[in-house]
Amino acid sequence: MSWSYEMSLQPMLSAADIDGLPFGSVFGSVPPRSVSKRHAHQDGELFIVLAGRATVVLGDEERELGPGGVVHLSPFGYHEIRNEHDEPFDLVSIYWEHIPSAVAALEEAPPRASLPQRALVFCPPPTPNGGLHLGHLAGPYVRADVLVRALRSTGRDARHVTGTDDHQSHVAVSARLGGATPEQVAASHGEAILTTLRAAGVDCDRLTRPATEPGHADRVRELITRLAASPSVTEQERDTAYCAACDLSLHQAFARGTCAHCAADSDGEICEACGRPNETKDLVDPRCRLCGGPATTRPERALWLDVSAHAEQLARYLKDCHTSPDLLALVERLLADGLPPYRLARRADWGVELADGQRVDAWVDLALTFLDAARAETEQDGPAKITLFLGYDNSFFYAVLLPAVAFAAGLAEHLPAAFVTNQFLHLDDAKFSTSRGHAIWADPALAEAGADAVRLALLRNAPEGRVTRITQERAALLAQDPLHLAAQEWLAGFAQVGDGVVPGTGAWTDAHREFYRALNLTTRQLDGLLIPESFSARGYVRLLEAFVERAAEFRATEEPLRAVPSLAEEARTSLALDYLAAKAFAALAWPITPDLALRTWRWLGLPGEPVREADWSFLPGGTRVTSPAPLDGRP
């Protein structure tokens, strides 16, 4: 037998053994007190139970089965087997491929059906130690805004949560190096960051501002008390990196060295290159960031969280939620290597103050801020599916430390149900770097090219699953994005279409039918790119670009028909479809180019924000647009 799907399997008979046999078969055994892997196939499948008892989970349905029990598994239906008994659960699986049934199953479960009715979309709060460059925007922030807008356009209740990470050690370092106080740095840069996000069209429904938010420190201290009561938290004295010249405990941004795992330059506590955690003292050649001197060590007493005590909970949690492949690969490596303990408080002068001159560790503060915000949102409006967009470099803190803190504090119900990661956007062949001046700042780019163009350029090059690059030359031409230009040209062409009155449909041709079919099919495909498990801003831009190209081609080929008097009935349908394409474009483009989309929507006389229909309904015959073309009379 082999181990697969987290159970023991033995292949039986199939068409490879008997010519013409219309099915395959396998013997399976789920060990006692275990759960098989949750998965789906394109095949139909039958389970015939031989021995033992277990719960077979079919999507949201659960069935208790024993010897002689039989259950049918539909194509693409997720299933798992929970054996909570002391005996193995043995079965025979018979499976067969019937493509019409598989296609029908897909049709019965369109992508939109997978989108939650209520969603919280979180982004890691930016560190307020400087402004935002295009590399920042290309990561979680604009992509999360795409999801929030798209969910709202389908009638879902979606809220965007972020803020500023005021208590990060980078803020304290910037203050020391710049001769300011951390409060001044966090306040000034924090306001500038939020202004930039608004200029980029990124709207936030809940902002967490730890340094200025009333009651934040008290709520964090209350949660730290809950943590301290957990069996996985103990007070320990450990050797800690220290700079005698600065009389400073070295951690995070206060330290610099070389990662012992991948040999990249690294701050303390995390290596951005390989995503692995570290303690500053374990870096190769650790040094003080302020004076450049070598680190020594001294004993310090603090609360420590035994992260490994929650390893099994973490593995189960990540199995049940969606985790991006790169993130899952990292966490599985960390679990295999053993999870190190994490220090909950630091000897520092910035952050939420505790007893004995200690402050809550910045990353622990961030985890507790997340959980506190999720708890407040739930208490305010009820439970919601939480999706967290994050940079891969922060994977350990959000996919390991955050869950471990939640487990220890009894707040696991507020954890994300899905993680959507991004890698880095490079400028030419190197990372954006504020300290080296290797950056294109967001504010001038937005002022020059406009939010729509900047969003499009960044989404087209979104670093999803891999590092992507934008050149200095391309960055200087942000307003020249192909989709941006093609959409404007197509929309401007409405000035030559009809008399500004939308006709009712008349006679249909095969071309009309297929264009209408394409509008609805493209909408479903774009819906599929919004599901966190398959989210792709890059794919969304390219598919919408193909939509605009198809709409422009439709108009070009239909124009001769519209001039033939004997085809007046067909011409009405042709024009109605042209205007319908504009309506669909406005709703489908609103997540990525909100300004252009909203102007198009209002040009058609439609109220409120764009609404994304599953199957597109025509504009009422006689509707008069507000100007010859959507781009006329820019607000």
CSV table of all heavy atoms in Angstrom, one decimal, residues 32 94 123 145 168 178 205 258 363 365 379 399 419 432 434 526 533 555 595:
chain,number,residue,atom,x,y,z
A,32,PRO,N,-7.0,5.2,12.4
A,32,PRO,CA,-7.8,5.6,13.6
A,32,PRO,C,-7.3,7.1,14.0
A,32,PRO,O,-6.2,7.4,13.9
A,32,PRO,CB,-7.4,4.6,14.7
A,32,PRO,CG,-6.9,3.4,14.0
A,32,PRO,CD,-6.2,3.9,12.8
A,94,ILE,N,-14.7,3.3,-6.2
A,94,ILE,CA,-14.9,3.1,-7.6
A,94,ILE,C,-15.1,4.5,-8.2
A,94,ILE,O,-15.9,5.2,-7.8
A,94,ILE,CB,-16.1,2.2,-7.9
A,94,ILE,CG1,-15.9,0.8,-7.2
A,94,ILE,CG2,-16.4,2.0,-9.4
A,94,ILE,CD1,-17.1,-0.1,-7.3
A,123,CYS,N,-5.2,44.1,5.0
A,123,CYS,CA,-3.8,44.3,4.5
A,123,CYS,C,-2.9,44.6,5.6
A,123,CYS,O,-3.3,45.3,6.6
A,123,CYS,CB,-3.8,45.5,3.5
A,123,CYS,SG,-4.2,45.0,1.9
A,145,ASP,N,-7.8,46.1,-2.7
A,145,ASP,CA,-8.9,47.0,-3.1
A,145,ASP,C,-9.6,46.5,-4.3
A,145,ASP,O,-10.9,46.7,-4.3
A,145,ASP,CB,-8.3,48.4,-3.4
A,145,ASP,CG,-9.3,49.5,-3.7
A,145,ASP,OD1,-10.0,49.9,-2.8
A,145,ASP,OD2,-9.5,49.8,-4.9
A,168,GLN,N,6.3,49.6,15.0
A,168,GLN,CA,7.4,48.9,14.5
A,168,GLN,C,8.8,49.5,14.9
A,168,GLN,O,8.9,50.7,15.0
A,168,GLN,CB,7.3,48.9,12.9
A,168,GLN,CG,6.6,47.6,12.4
A,168,GLN,CD,7.4,46.3,12.7
A,168,GLN,OE1,8.5,46.3,13.0
A,168,GLN,NE2,6.7,45.2,12.5
A,178,GLY,N,17.0,60.3,12.8
A,178,GLY,CA,16.6,61.6,12.2
A,178,GLY,C,16.4,62.7,13.3
A,178,GLY,O,16.0,63.8,13.0
A,205,ASP,N,-12.1,50.9,5.3
A,205,ASP,CA,-13.3,51.0,6.2
A,205,ASP,C,-12.9,51.1,7.6
A,205,ASP,O,-13.7,51.6,8.4
A,205,ASP,CB,-14.2,49.9,5.9
A,205,ASP,CG,-14.7,49.9,4.4
A,205,ASP,OD1,-15.5,50.8,4.0
A,205,ASP,OD2,-14.3,49.0,3.7
A,258,THR,N,23.8,38.8,8.7
A,258,THR,CA,23.6,37.9,7.5
A,258,THR,C,22.8,36.7,8.0
A,258,THR,O,23.1,36.1,9.0
A,258,THR,CB,25.0,37.4,7.0
A,258,THR,OG1,25.8,38.6,6.6
A,258,THR,CG2,24.8,36.5,5.8
A,363,TRP,N,5.8,42.9,16.4
A,363,TRP,CA,5.1,41.9,15.6
A,363,TRP,C,4.0,41.3,16.4
A,363,TRP,O,2.9,40.9,15.9
A,363,TRP,CB,6.0,40.8,15.1
A,363,TRP,CG,6.8,41.4,13.9
A,363,TRP,CD1,8.2,41.7,14.0
A,363,TRP,CD2,6.4,41.7,12.6
A,363,TRP,NE1,8.6,42.2,12.8
A,363,TRP,CE2,7.5,42.2,11.9
A,363,TRP,CE3,5.2,41.6,11.9
A,363,TRP,CZ2,7.5,42.6,10.6
A,363,TRP,CZ3,5.1,41.9,10.6
A,363,TRP,CH2,6.2,42.4,9.9
A,365,ASP,N,2.4,42.9,18.9
A,365,ASP,CA,1.5,44.1,18.8
A,365,ASP,C,0.6,44.0,17.6
A,365,ASP,O,-0.6,44.2,17.6
A,365,ASP,CB,2.2,45.4,19.0
A,365,ASP,CG,1.3,46.6,19.1
A,365,ASP,OD1,0.1,46.5,18.9
A,365,ASP,OD2,1.9,47.7,19.5
A,379,GLU,N,-18.1,41.7,16.2
A,379,GLU,CA,-19.1,42.2,17.2
A,379,GLU,C,-20.0,43.3,16.6
A,379,GLU,O,-21.2,43.4,17.0
A,379,GLU,CB,-18.4,42.8,18.4
A,379,GLU,CG,-17.6,41.7,19.2
A,379,GLU,CD,-16.8,42.3,20.3
A,379,GLU,OE1,-16.6,43.5,20.4
A,379,GLU,OE2,-16.2,41.5,21.2
A,399,ALA,N,1.4,33.9,9.0
A,399,ALA,CA,0.9,32.5,8.9
A,399,ALA,C,1.4,31.6,10.0
A,399,ALA,O,0.9,30.4,10.1
A,399,ALA,CB,1.4,31.9,7.5
A,419,PHE,N,-5.2,33.2,2.7
A,419,PHE,CA,-4.1,34.1,2.6
A,419,PHE,C,-3.8,34.3,1.1
A,419,PHE,O,-3.7,33.3,0.3
A,419,PHE,CB,-2.8,33.5,3.2
A,419,PHE,CG,-2.9,33.3,4.7
A,419,PHE,CD1,-3.4,32.2,5.3
A,419,PHE,CD2,-2.5,34.3,5.6
A,419,PHE,CE1,-3.4,32.0,6.7
A,419,PHE,CE2,-2.5,34.2,6.9
A,419,PHE,CZ,-3.0,33.0,7.5
A,432,PHE,N,13.0,47.6,-4.9
A,432,PHE,CA,12.8,49.0,-4.5
A,432,PHE,C,13.5,49.2,-3.1
A,432,PHE,O,13.4,48.3,-2.3
A,432,PHE,CB,11.3,49.3,-4.4
A,432,PHE,CG,10.6,49.6,-5.7
A,432,PHE,CD1,10.3,48.6,-6.6
A,432,PHE,CD2,10.3,50.9,-6.0
A,432,PHE,CE1,9.7,48.9,-7.7
A,432,PHE,CE2,9.7,51.2,-7.2
A,432,PHE,CZ,9.3,50.2,-8.1
A,434,THR,N,14.3,52.3,-0.3
A,434,THR,CA,14.2,53.7,0.2
A,434,THR,C,15.6,54.2,0.6
A,434,THR,O,16.0,55.3,0.2
A,434,THR,CB,13.2,53.8,1.4
A,434,THR,OG1,12.0,53.4,1.0
A,434,THR,CG2,13.1,55.2,1.9
A,526,LEU,N,-13.9,36.3,-15.2
A,526,LEU,CA,-13.3,37.3,-14.3
A,526,LEU,C,-13.7,37.1,-12.9
A,526,LEU,O,-13.0,37.3,-11.9
A,526,LEU,CB,-13.8,38.7,-14.8
A,526,LEU,CG,-13.1,39.2,-16.0
A,526,LEU,CD1,-13.8,40.5,-16.5
A,526,LEU,CD2,-11.6,39.5,-15.8
A,533,GLU,N,-8.6,31.6,-3.6
A,533,GLU,CA,-7.9,30.5,-4.0
A,533,GLU,C,-7.3,30.6,-5.5
A,533,GLU,O,-6.3,29.9,-5.8
A,533,GLU,CB,-8.7,29.2,-3.9
A,533,GLU,CG,-9.1,28.8,-2.5
A,533,GLU,CD,-10.2,29.6,-1.9
A,533,GLU,OE1,-10.6,30.6,-2.5
A,533,GLU,OE2,-10.7,29.2,-0.9
A,555,ARG,N,-17.7,46.2,-32.8
A,555,ARG,CA,-18.2,47.5,-33.3
A,555,ARG,C,-17.7,47.7,-34.8
A,555,ARG,O,-18.5,48.1,-35.7
A,555,ARG,CB,-17.8,48.7,-32.5
A,555,ARG,CG,-18.3,50.0,-33.1
A,555,ARG,CD,-17.7,51.2,-32.3
A,555,ARG,NE,-18.2,51.2,-30.9
A,555,ARG,CZ,-17.6,51.9,-29.9
A,555,ARG,NH1,-16.5,52.6,-30.2
A,555,ARG,NH2,-18.1,51.9,-28.7
A,595,ASP,N,-12.0,55.3,-11.5
A,595,ASP,CA,-12.4,56.6,-12.1
A,595,ASP,C,-13.1,56.4,-13.4
A,595,ASP,O,-14.2,56.9,-13.7
A,595,ASP,CB,-11.2,57.5,-12.1
A,595,ASP,CG,-11.6,58.9,-12.7
A,595,ASP,OD1,-12.5,59.5,-12.1
A,595,ASP,OD2,-11.1,59.3,-13.7
